[in-house]
């Protein structure tokens, strides 16, 4: 994950290792697919695909403060092949679209990650944050499991719901966040 400094007057890459001859960026273990910056905390969350067909994906959190830039604040398993992450404008949760691409027997899922315990002072070794994995997309969309692939996530400005595209299914679904437990609608 390459990090850029946005300090005026120019945009430049940040080098994390003075001993290398190139700008290597933040280490994400494997293929990052999406990134979102928390609206109130100096933290970026990125989704990372698993390394093997049987390896679940991950969400990783990075500290964005200058003195500790790049430190892992979160390393947590999510569904298969996470493709998109968005953080609610109020910062209370993130929704992750796990499309399960390449897993024909595994249904795509949506994960709702509770971010109320997230802090830039947290470290990945502190364990996972509370998460709800929303299943049942096949029933809601009327398609068999394994062909539903949640693709892209966006929030409404009041953080009441997230909209998720199901690109290969010509569908749009919503995650209702107004009750204690998130639910598909």
């Amino acid at each position: 994950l390459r990090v850029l400094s946005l300090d005026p007057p120019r945009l430049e890459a940040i080098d994390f290792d003075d001993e290398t001859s190139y700008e290597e960026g933040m280490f994400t273990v494997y293929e990052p697919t999406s990134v979102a910056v928390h609206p109130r905390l100096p933290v970026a969350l990125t989704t990372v695909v698993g390394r093997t067909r049987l390896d679940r994906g991950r969400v990783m959190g990075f500290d964005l403060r200058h003195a500790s830039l790049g430190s892992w604040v979160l390393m947590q398993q999510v569904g298969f092949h996470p493709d998109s992450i968005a953080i609610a404008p109020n910062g209370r949760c993130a929704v992750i679209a796990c499309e399960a691409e390449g897993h024909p027997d595994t249904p795509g899922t949506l994960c709702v990650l509770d971010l109320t315990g997230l802090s830039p002072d947290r470290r990945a070794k502190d364990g996972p944050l509370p998460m709800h994995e929303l299943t049942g997309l096949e029933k809601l969309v009327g398609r068999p499991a394994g062909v539903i692939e949640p693709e892209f996530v966006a929030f409404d400005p009041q953080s009441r719901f997230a909209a998720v595209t199901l690109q290969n299914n010509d569908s749009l679904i919503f995650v209702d966040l107004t009750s204690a437990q998130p639910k598909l609608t």
Side-chain angles (χ1 to χ4, degrees), residues 141 148-151 164-173:
V141 178
I148 297 174
E149 296 182 359
E151 194 76 28
V164 182
T165 60
L166 304 177
Q167 179 181 349
N168 295 339
N169 309 105
D170 302 326
S171 298
L172 178 67
I173 59 162

Side-chain angles (χ1 to χ4, degrees), residues 40-95:
R40 294 185 174 86
L41 298 173
V43 173
L45 299 179
T46 186
T47 52
V48 180
V49 174
R51 285 199 237 182
T52 68
R53 191 174 184 279
L54 301 175
D55 186 16
R56 292 176 70 92
R58 292 167 189 75
V59 61
M60 296 179 68
F62 292 97
D63 186 342
L64 297 179
R65 297 174 296 182
H66 182 72
S68 49
L69 186 63
S71 297
W72 291 355
V73 300
L74 182 66
M75 170 74 86
Q76 182 165 340
Q77 282 192 336
V78 291
F80 289 99
H81 199 286
D83 199 44
S84 177
I85 186 169
I87 299 174
N90 65 11
R92 296 181 54 91
C93 70
V95 173

